[in-house]
Amino acid sequence: MADGDTVEATKALEIPMLLEVPVGPQHPALHEPILLKVYASGEEVVRVEINTGYNHRGIEKLAEKNTFYKDIFIVGRVCGICNTVHANCYVRALEHLLGKEPPARAKYLRVLAMELERLHSHMLIEAVMAEILGFDTLFMHIMKDRELIMKAKEILTGARVLADYQMVGGVRRDLSSEKIERLNKILDLVEPRLKYYMKLFEEDVTIRKRLEGVGSLTPYDITSHGLLGPIARASGVSTDVRLHDMYEVYSEVPYRIVVMDGKDTLARMMLRWEEAIVSLEISRYILKNLPEGNAVPDEKRLPRVFPEGEVYTAVEAPRGELTYYVMSKGGTMPYRVKIRTPSFNNIINSGFSYIGHTIADVPVILVSYDPCISCMERITVVDFRRKERKKLLLKDVVRGRV
Amino acid sequence: MKPALLKEVIKSIFSKPATIQYPKELTPVELDARGRHYPDLSKCIGCSLCMIECPANAIIMKKIPEGYEAPKRNPKKIYPSINYLKCVYCYRCVTVCPTNAYVTTSEYRLGTPEPIFSDDLSLKTLVSGGKSD
């Protein structure tokens, strides 16, 4: 071709200069098995695909194959961190089916177990966030103090993690006055630590630089994508099942809903510290005002056969609204148990929030949603929009697939 | 600017380590924590309710072996055997037992490469009851 000749182009090869970075399912920056396919243009994230299904165990089907009472222990194993809320939601469904009302003392003890759980769950995710930021010393310190709450849970329920504490018509072990004293001592130790960490997250330059303005969600985003729990509350959307439903004794305990307007990752983390302090206050109140009476039902005398009916119950898990739908057709086994966990909404619907941030921010944003993969993976939903235009990736060009 | 955690770190350097040197040093657990449990065969009536109710299917009923005299209250001469590696320590068997035959302990050191069962512990209760030949 001679110089100066012009040739009209007939074909254009469109090469999006995208890098595909798989984050997970096994990844040093993630503590949960989830695959985030991050498409980045340079450092900037342009698209995120969320792939799940690495932790599917078929618990809903298992629940149908076992009796109502066995299922109390099976649903507690959906998630280790929030096992008492799962059990509570299911047990309350069974109580609605039977038309049974637990005694007041049992209700108070259930709330105490759930609030201790919220406390240690929030501390865990704050610690993980510190680790993701590269602040391992802080991770160790928070985990050390979280161990105190695990001890409190052991004193109350008999096990550090899997409480197996709830039973139809009450709880499975009572709390003696000596134990109440010990729990109070533990809460006294934990409170100054929570306030210290809260101050630390508020003032530390490194933490602020990594979290401030990252992963902002407007109230419109929250409502349009159905995000729940602390994520919604950190964006100014006041949603809390404890307040709306007033289940168990939330109508009696002094409880304030924490709502923040920061909208970003920092706001979500600060909100969790604030909520942990509220949980601690609720626990203190319960230990002080525990009603007298028998909280432990005789499990040998509980009815084995359940009447026909459908029940839908909700609790506020540490990650947001958790709902159970239990359908009984009579007999000893449920016909259907449907579990909808908050992580299912929060993780799958949040792909949009990574866009525009850098690759280094992806784990930070994900952790700020407090993902709980074992919770959400009982069903696999694949709902990615089909691409209409065929695009070629840079790696395909390099590999000669043009 | 001074790092906010500096004071905490200096304090930690001079304090006792928070780590527990397991297994040299045992982890402190509550006395009533849910640990290894086994049926007391002098109380067991062989009703199989614990096997039916076990959420993990960790319990099977076995015949009381030769050389041990079964108590009269156990006409079927069977006893529950717990597979500790399958057990989830929910204590459902303990709470549903009609004769409260289960002995509970807070023993948590159950890590072993071979499957472990409650048989030895259970049959010992029969021997100590003076019922054996």
Side-chain angles (χ1 to χ4, degrees):
Chain A
M1 195 185 295
D3 285 346
D5 284 359
T6 53
V7 179
E8 200 180 334
T10 52
K11 249 184 186 177
L13 188 64
E14 194 179 300
I15 307 168
M17 294 298 280
L18 291 185
L19 275 176
E20 188 186 332
V21 186
V23 183
Q26 281 84 38
H27 194 274
L30 296 182
H31 64 303
E32 300 271 354
I34 184 171
L35 171 59
L36 297 179
K37 262 191 201 167
V38 180
Y39 296 91
S41 166
E43 265 289 301
E44 193 190 334
V45 175
V46 290
R47 193 158 68 98
V48 172
E49 276 179 16
I50 297 166
N51 281 13
T52 63
Y54 299 98
N55 208 356
H56 180 84
R57 290 161 298 162
I59 285 201
E60 285 179 6
K61 194 69 194 165
L62 192 65
E64 289 169 22
K65 297 280 174 196
N66 282 286
T67 63
F68 283 104
Y69 289 102
K70 281 188 189 182
D71 287 348
I72 297 174
F73 305 102
I74 291 169
V75 297
R77 266 102 189 141
V78 170
C79 172
I81 295 293
C82 34
N83 63 82
T84 57
V85 281
H86 274 273
N88 181 268
C89 201
Y90 179 71
V91 161
R92 278 196 302 119
L94 296 192
E95 279 167 358
H96 284 303
L97 270 177
L98 287 171
K100 227 178 162 70
E101 180 79 17
R105 188 181 173 87
K107 284 185 181 176
Y108 269 81
L109 288 174
R110 282 179 184 182
V111 171
L112 176 60
M114 286 192 285
E115 289 305 325
L116 286 178
E117 197 171 77
R118 190 183 320 280
L119 201 48
H120 86 69
S121 169
H122 282 356
M123 284 177 93
L124 175 76
I125 201 64
E126 299 280 359
V128 169
M129 178 57 96
E131 195 199 8
I132 293 284
L133 298 178
F135 206 160
D136 277 30
T137 321
L138 183 58
F139 166 77
M140 296 290 180
H141 276 82
I142 300 175
M143 289 304 264
K144 189 189 94 191
D145 291 321
R146 177 178 174 262
E147 210 51 41
L148 292 167
I149 300 292
M150 304 306 281
K151 190 71 191 170
K153 234 185 127 189
E154 189 186 321
I155 292 169
L156 178 69
T157 67
R160 277 175 82 248
V161 180
L162 289 165
D164 291 336
Y165 191 54
Q166 327 260 346
M167 182 44 70
V168 174
V171 290
R172 298 185 76 217
R173 57 167 71 196
D174 208 353
L175 196 61
S176 66
S177 55
E178 182 237 352
K179 282 184 178 176
I180 291 177
E181 222 167 89
R182 288 183 64 200
L183 287 179
N184 268 324
K185 270 184 196 159
I186 288 176
L187 294 183
D188 288 346
L189 281 175
V190 172
E191 194 179 6
R193 302 300 300 166
L194 288 179
K195 287 183 176 156
Y196 170 74
Y197 291 130
M198 198 173 161
K199 198 167 152 246
L200 193 76
F201 265 71
E202 211 169 5
E203 290 178 358
D204 194 88
V205 188
T206 328
I207 294 177
R208 280 197 89 97
K209 274 190 175 163
R210 283 301 303 277
L211 302 186
E212 223 168 10
V214 173
S216 288
L217 295 170
T218 60
Y220 176 77
D221 290 336
I222 298 288
T223 43
S224 63
H225 290 82
L227 305 182
L228 300 162
I231 303 166
R233 291 196 285 277
S235 291
V237 179
S238 166
T239 162
D240 193 324
V241 188
R242 290 179 286 179
L243 197 75
H244 305 323
D245 224 16
M246 294 276 184
Y247 60 96
E248 301 294 11
V249 285
Y250 283 110
S251 53
E252 293 168 32
V253 295
Y255 159 68
R256 61 190 162 90
I257 180 168
V258 186
V259 181
M260 285 189 181
D261 282 330
K263 301 182 182 68
D264 56 357
T265 305
L266 184 70
R268 291 195 275 278
M269 300 326 273
M270 293 309 294
L271 180 117
R272 289 200 178 96
W273 283 125
E274 188 81 41
E275 272 194 2
I277 291 168
V278 172
S279 287
L280 195 127
E281 283 164 9
I282 297 175
S283 308
R284 269 234 181 87
Y285 176 86
I286 288 171
L287 289 173
K288 204 178 166 192
N289 299 294
L290 199 59
E292 292 298 318
N294 179 28
V296 187
D298 188 356
E299 290 181 32
K300 294 156 209 157
R301 291 172 193 278
L302 292 174
R304 305 218 159 260
V305 179
F306 279 69
E308 210 171 302
E310 293 171 54
V311 189
Y312 189 73
T313 44
V315 292
E316 182 72 19
R319 288 155 182 81
E321 186 191 34
L322 164 73
T323 63
Y324 267 67
Y325 167 75
V326 181
M327 186 179 178
S328 164
K329 284 202 165 182
T332 55
M333 288 196 254
Y335 181 75
R336 177 86 172 97
V337 178
K338 169 83 187 85
I339 311 169
R340 201 212 55 191
T341 56
S343 290
F344 188 73
N345 280 26
N346 287 348
I347 304 306
I348 289 182
N349 296 348
S350 63
F352 70 95
S353 62
Y354 301 93
I355 295 165
H357 296 289
T358 60
I359 293 175
D361 287 334
V362 170
V364 171
I365 298 172
L366 177 70
V367 167
S368 80
Y369 295 147
D370 202 353
C372 180
I373 306 304
S374 64
C375 253
M376 64 192 246
E377 285 186 3
R378 287 146 295 90
I379 34 174
T380 314
V381 178
V382 183
D383 189 21
F384 297 125
R385 267 187 299 166
R386 285 180 175 276
K387 287 172 278 181
E388 284 177 10
R389 285 172 69 185
K390 195 185 172 192
K391 286 182 179 175
L392 292 170
L393 296 178
L394 186 62
K395 66 172 189 183
D396 292 333
V397 179
V398 172
R399 287 174 190 167
R401 288 183 194 157
V402 186
Chain B
M1 194 182 159
K2 200 175 79 177
L5 204 65
L6 193 62
K7 203 177 147 194
E8 196 71 18
V9 171
I10 292 169
K11 215 172 92 187
S12 297
I13 290 171
F14 296 106
S15 62
K16 219 177 105 217
T19 330
I20 296 165
Q21 297 294 329
Y22 184 85
K24 284 181 196 160
E25 196 186 326
L26 291 186
T27 321
V29 288
E30 291 300 300
L31 282 176
D32 59 353
R34 293 196 309 269
R36 183 175 64 193
H37 55 302
Y38 56 92
D40 180 348
L41 297 194
S42 60
K43 285 184 188 170
C44 178
I45 54 169
C47 69
S48 311
L49 199 59
C50 50
M51 181 198 79
I52 295 162
E53 283 294 322
C54 179
N57 291 338
I59 302 177
I60 49 165
M61 301 305 286
K62 286 185 184 168
K63 279 259 175 230
I64 294 181
E66 296 285 320
Y68 292 94
E69 195 186 319
K72 273 184 189 161
R73 50 159 67 189
N74 189 349
K76 288 188 207 159
K77 294 183 182 169
I78 50 174
Y79 72 100
S81 160
I82 309 167
N83 182 347
Y84 288 126
L85 298 189
K86 259 183 146 184
C87 178
V88 294
Y89 301 93
C90 67
Y91 274 21
R92 177 75 174 153
C93 48
V94 178
T95 49
V96 295
C97 181
T99 56
N100 296 327
Y102 275 90
V103 181
T104 58
T105 69
S106 62
E107 181 58 60
Y108 60 91
R109 290 168 296 160
L110 297 159
T112 126
E114 300 91 32
I116 41 169
F117 297 92
S118 66
D119 298 20
D120 289 349
L121 284 166
S122 294
L123 291 172
K124 258 184 210 165
T125 61
L126 216 49
V127 175
S128 62
K131 299 262 172 71
S132 69
D133 289 342

